[in-house]
Amino acid sequence: MAPCALCPPGDALPRRAILRRPKTLQPVCKECFFVVFETEIHHTILGYGQAERNDKGKRKALFKRGERVAIGASGGKDSTVLAHIMKVLNDRYDYGLDLCLLSIDEGISGYRDASLDTVKRNAVQYDLPLKILSYKELYNGWTMDKVVAEIGKKGNCTYCGVFRRQALDRGAHLLTVDHVVTGHNADDVAETVLMNVLRGDIARVGRCTAITTGGDPFSSAEARDDDPNDDDGEGGKSLSSLLPSTIKRSKPFKYTYEKEIVLYAYFKKLDYHSTECIYSPTAYRGYARALVKDLEAVRPSSIVDLIYSGEMMAQSMSLKGRRVGGDWSGKEGELMGYKKLKGCAGRQVQQNCSKCNSLSSQPLCQACLLLESLNQGVAKVELSDR
């Protein structure tokens, strides 16, 4: 292979390249690949290249010194590399973060058991505390195996995704962390943008392209149940009284290609679980993933182009006068010839779920709605009618 394109110009003989970067197609040696991979993620954490800015237009770093950060750990390549990178960068650049691992057991026999063993080994390897929560514990005995047995293999990823998001937030509150980071990479974000566009759900594009979501709209005392007299949850916290959406959640791998994550894990010889979930082959995301891979083969920049397109759509939705329903209100709309659409409810207002107290755009959050349909035995009927 050609000599490394990133070796310092002063070197008499550049090292021989062992791979071609999927993102830029540059031939690079292993040492330079490690440096550029870690540096790009460090720059993402510092806020370089982000679409999101503060009120003064300045970049926003993902973390603040002293924050307690939970790393969403599944044992797969993304979360394992994330745990490794967060540990390395936190030590190297002195972020001042208190790191821990948070893993969710979905209850998928033959799959999650093996990956949880990997997570436990990672906790020892990186010397990080680990907390494991299960669907069975959080959702009245329901596991993904039981959900699939109830509804079949159609639509089961919807249940798993909604339950996992809320489980991560609940676990974060139990650990009293300020921030959760997940291993969602550039490919994942591009696929989500494409899925939302194909579904015509443009209102969700803003959330899926944001590198950080959530935040604490309440004070710490209000957001966390710190009553020492409560004995129905770990550390005196009741699972039913948690406010999941108050926890910040970030994607340090937002601009990192999946192929580069795999190559980094391979060359670093990281310990990760590589088996695919037994229920994922039927997921709708698979079609978007296939299209993204085809686009990447033609033009590698297609992945970041999709992310950029999603960011631009999100910005257009937040323009003054623009409403979620797609119409314009006020003088801006009148000047442009737009009329208010009848029945358009405008922007959704966040409220607390009447059951679990988490933030929601409706009286019952999506997790509680799905759980209620399972408990009443109507989930299978609803899915079969679609």
Side-chain angles (χ1 to χ4, degrees), residues 24 55 60 74 220 250 284-285 323 351:
T24 62
D55 295 336
K60 297 187 297 184
S74 66
S220 298
S250 295
Y284 175 61
R285 179 177 289 272
R323 299 167 68 90
Q351 55 188 300

Side-chain angles (χ1 to χ4, degrees), residues 89 220 374 381:
L89 297 184
S220 298
L374 288 171
V381 176

Side-chain angles (χ1 to χ4, degrees), residues 138-194:
L138 295 172
Y139 301 117
N140 301 330
W142 284 99
T143 64
M144 276 311 299
D145 285 341
K146 290 184 178 180
V147 171
V148 173
E150 175 71 18
I151 69 171
K153 292 187 177 181
K154 181 180 179 181
N156 54 77
C157 286
T158 298
Y159 285 80
C160 191
V162 172
F163 287 167
R164 190 192 304 113
R165 282 192 294 272
Q166 190 179 93
L168 278 173
D169 288 335
R170 289 187 175 188
H173 274 280
L174 289 175
L175 293 172
T176 62
V177 302
D178 307 293
H179 212 131
V180 174
V181 291
T182 58
H184 292 90
N185 55 53
D187 298 56
D188 297 327
V189 178
E191 291 162 11
T192 306
V193 170
L194 194 56

Side-chain angles (χ1 to χ4, degrees), residues 23 37 41 185-187 252-258 260-261:
K23 181 185 289 187
F37 182 87
I41 296 171
N185 55 53
D187 298 56
F253 287 170
K254 177 183 174 181
Y255 302 107
T256 306
Y257 278 31
E258 182 180 43
E260 296 199 352
I261 293 174

Side-chain angles (χ1 to χ4, degrees), residues 1-163:
M1 188 175 281
C4 175
L6 298 179
C7 279
D11 289 0
L13 290 174
R15 288 182 289 264
R16 183 179 179 182
I18 62 170
L19 64 100
R20 191 177 293 275
R21 287 196 69 190
K23 181 185 289 187
T24 62
L25 299 183
Q26 290 176 310
V28 294
C29 64
K30 183 165 62 175
E31 291 77 9
C32 287
F33 173 66
F34 291 158
V35 171
V36 72
F37 182 87
E38 294 168 358
T39 302
E40 286 182 358
I41 296 171
H42 171 58
H43 287 169
T44 300
I45 290 174
L46 293 183
Y48 293 106
Q50 295 178 16
E52 303 87 353
R53 300 277 172 161
N54 61 19
D55 295 336
K56 297 182 180 180
K58 296 182 179 180
R59 59 182 174 84
K60 297 187 297 184
L62 295 188
F63 310 113
K64 296 179 181 178
R65 174 171 289 275
E67 279 189 329
R68 180 167 169 79
V69 179
I71 302 169
S74 66
K77 62 183 186 310
D78 296 317
S79 64
T80 300
V81 173
L82 178 62
H84 175 84
I85 285 289
M86 289 297 297
K87 176 71 173 178
V88 168
L89 297 184
N90 188 43
D91 294 341
R92 180 184 301 167
Y93 297 106
D94 190 25
Y95 293 157
L97 304 177
D98 181 12
L99 302 176
C100 61
L101 297 178
L102 174 60
S103 188
I104 306 300
D105 180 6
E106 298 93 346
I108 304 175
S109 57
Y111 166 72
R112 184 51 72 199
D113 299 337
S115 63
L116 285 177
D117 290 338
T118 303
V119 173
K120 293 173 183 176
R121 292 196 299 270
N122 291 157
V124 175
Q125 293 162 1
Y126 303 128
D127 191 24
L128 296 175
L130 168 65
K131 173 65 178 177
I132 300 176
L133 286 178
S134 67
Y135 282 7
K136 186 175 183 179
E137 173 188 0
L138 295 172
Y139 301 117
N140 301 330
W142 284 99
T143 64
M144 276 311 299
D145 285 341
K146 290 184 178 180
V147 171
V148 173
E150 175 71 18
I151 69 171
K153 292 187 177 181
K154 181 180 179 181
N156 54 77
C157 286
T158 298
Y159 285 80
C160 191
V162 172
F163 287 167

Side-chain angles (χ1 to χ4, degrees), residues 72-380:
S74 66
K77 62 183 186 310
D78 296 317
S79 64
T80 300
V81 173
L82 178 62
H84 175 84
I85 285 289
M86 289 297 297
K87 176 71 173 178
V88 168
L89 297 184
N90 188 43
D91 294 341
R92 180 184 301 167
Y93 297 106
D94 190 25
Y95 293 157
L97 304 177
D98 181 12
L99 302 176
C100 61
L101 297 178
L102 174 60
S103 188
I104 306 300
D105 180 6
E106 298 93 346
I108 304 175
S109 57
Y111 166 72
R112 184 51 72 199
D113 299 337
S115 63
L116 285 177
D117 290 338
T118 303
V119 173
K120 293 173 183 176
R121 292 196 299 270
N122 291 157
V124 175
Q125 293 162 1
Y126 303 128
D127 191 24
L128 296 175
L130 168 65
K131 173 65 178 177
I132 300 176
L133 286 178
S134 67
Y135 282 7
K136 186 175 183 179
E137 173 188 0
L138 295 172
Y139 301 117
N140 301 330
W142 284 99
T143 64
M144 276 311 299
D145 285 341
K146 290 184 178 180
V147 171
V148 173
E150 175 71 18
I151 69 171
K153 292 187 177 181
K154 181 180 179 181
N156 54 77
C157 286
T158 298
Y159 285 80
C160 191
V162 172
F163 287 167
R164 190 192 304 113
R165 282 192 294 272
Q166 190 179 93
L168 278 173
D169 288 335
R170 289 187 175 188
H173 274 280
L174 289 175
L175 293 172
T176 62
V177 302
D178 307 293
H179 212 131
V180 174
V181 291
T182 58
H184 292 90
N185 55 53
D187 298 56
D188 297 327
V189 178
E191 291 162 11
T192 306
V193 170
L194 194 56
M195 289 167 62
N196 287 327
V197 171
L198 292 175
R199 285 193 297 238
D201 196 353
I202 305 301
R204 290 192 180 183
V205 171
R207 292 200 297 272
C208 77
T209 56
I211 195 168
T212 299
T213 56
D216 194 351
F218 307 103
S219 66
S220 298
E222 293 170 325
R224 293 170 180 158
D225 180 11
D226 290 328
D227 186 355
N229 296 320
D230 283 349
D231 58 359
D232 51 352
E234 183 175 335
K237 299 176 180 62
S238 169
L239 289 177
S240 63
S241 64
L242 300 177
L243 298 175
S245 295
T246 62
I247 294 290
K248 287 190 295 184
R249 187 183 301 176
S250 295
K251 301 185 283 279
F253 287 170
K254 177 183 174 181
Y255 302 107
T256 306
Y257 278 31
E258 182 180 43
K259 289 181 179 178
E260 296 199 352
I261 293 174
V262 174
L263 289 170
Y264 185 87
Y266 173 77
F267 287 118
K268 282 287 186 178
K269 296 180 171 56
L270 301 184
D271 182 10
Y272 67 93
H273 182 70
S274 58
T275 304
E276 187 179 19
C277 174
I278 59 177
Y279 300 131
S280 65
T282 59
Y284 175 61
R285 179 177 289 272
Y287 300 102
R289 179 178 293 116
L291 179 54
V292 169
K293 294 304 179 187
D294 289 342
L295 292 172
E296 182 188 11
V298 176
R299 189 174 70 173
S301 66
S302 296
I303 292 177
V304 290
D305 291 343
L306 278 169
I307 296 175
Y308 179 74
S309 299
E311 291 171 345
M312 293 301 100
M313 282 188 282
Q315 288 185 13
S316 69
M317 294 299 294
S318 63
L319 291 175
K320 185 178 180 181
R322 190 70 183 267
R323 299 167 68 90
V324 171
D327 65 325
W328 291 76
S329 60
K331 294 183 179 179
E332 294 86 355
E334 294 177 4
L335 290 173
M336 297 181 67
Y338 286 92
K339 295 181 179 180
K340 183 178 179 180
L341 299 179
K342 292 183 178 180
C344 178
R347 293 192 179 276
Q348 295 176 327
V349 179
Q350 285 191 331
Q351 55 188 300
N352 292 104
C353 173
S354 59
K355 278 197 171 182
C356 69
N357 211 29
S358 63
L359 291 183
S360 173
S361 59
Q362 48 195 347
L364 282 180
C365 68
Q366 188 67 11
C368 288
L369 285 173
L370 294 176
L371 190 60
E372 187 174 283
S373 68
L374 288 171
N375 291 331
Q376 295 178 355
V378 298
K380 188 173 183 178

